[in-house]
Amino acid sequence: MKPDRILFPIDLAKCPLDVLPLLNNLAGRSDASVILLHVVHLNILAPDNRIYQEHCREARRLLERLAENYVNPLVDVRLRVRVGNPFDEIVREAREQQVQFILVPTFASSFWRRLLAPLARRVAERLAADARCPVFALRAKTPFNCEERWGSEKDVPDSVRRNSKRQSPLTSSLAVLQSN
C-alpha cells in the first residue's frame, strides 16, 4: 500500500530530530504528504481563549521552522495545531485527514515512567489500539526542545522578526521565474 498521507504528531518540547530523516525518506519515495501535528494541552482551565490562541500561534511558528529546517522541501507538508487531549486530537486528526498511517516518535522511559507504566498507558500504545490505521512507533534518541533552543516569538524584537522572513529555495526560484 502506497501512503497518500502520513500523520506525524510532535511534542515541540521534545521533538525527535533523529527520526525526521526516516520521515523524509518515506514521504519522498511514496510522494505522500506529511501532516506535522502539535497538540496544545494545558493542564489548567484558561480564563479566556487568548491564552490558547497565543500557544497555537507559537506552536505554528515552531512547526514552520521545524519544517523549513528539517523536512525535505520536495515533501508536501501540512502543519496542524489542535487544542485538547493529545491522544483524542491525534485520533481525530487521523480520521479527519484520512491518513494511511501514523508515525509516533517515542523516547526511552525514565526509571519513574517504567515504575508507573502499569498505571498509565502511553499515547503510542493507546493509538495502536484505537486508531483506524496502522501506527508505527519510532524510537527517538535525542529530544530537541524547539522553544528552548529557538526561543519564543515574543523574545524576538519586531525589527528582527520582519527582516528574518527568508524565502525557501522553491519560493525564491518561483519568484525568479515570474520576474523573467
Side-chain angles (χ1 to χ4, degrees), residues 6 9 16 29 73 124 129 164 179:
I6 301 169
R29 287 180 185 227
S164 68
S179 67

Side-chain angles (χ1 to χ4, degrees), residues 122-155:
R122 295 176 154 193
V123 171
E125 294 168 358
R126 290 178 61 200
L127 281 173
D130 293 354
R132 293 181 181 169
C133 61
V135 176
F136 297 97
L138 302 171
R139 178 69 59 150
K141 294 183 177 147
T142 49
F144 177 80
N145 189 326
C146 295
E147 186 171 308
E148 184 179 287
R149 295 288 290 257
W150 291 334
S152 174
E153 184 176 28
K154 62 185 171 227
D155 298 336

Side-chain angles (χ1 to χ4, degrees), residues 6-23 34-39 63 66 86 90 101-109 113 122-128 134-144 146:
I6 301 169
L7 179 60
F8 191 65
I10 296 177
D11 180 353
L12 292 169
K14 50 183 179 181
C15 182
L17 294 183
D18 50 344
V19 173
L20 289 172
L22 176 65
L23 178 68
V34 173
I35 301 166
L36 297 180
L37 171 68
H38 175 72
V39 179
L63 282 175
L66 185 69
I90 292 169
F101 60 87
I102 304 171
L103 293 178
V104 181
T106 62
F107 294 93
S109 298
R113 166 82 66 190
R122 295 176 154 193
V123 171
E125 294 168 358
R126 290 178 61 200
L127 281 173
V135 176
F136 297 97
L138 302 171
R139 178 69 59 150
K141 294 183 177 147
T142 49
F144 177 80
C146 295

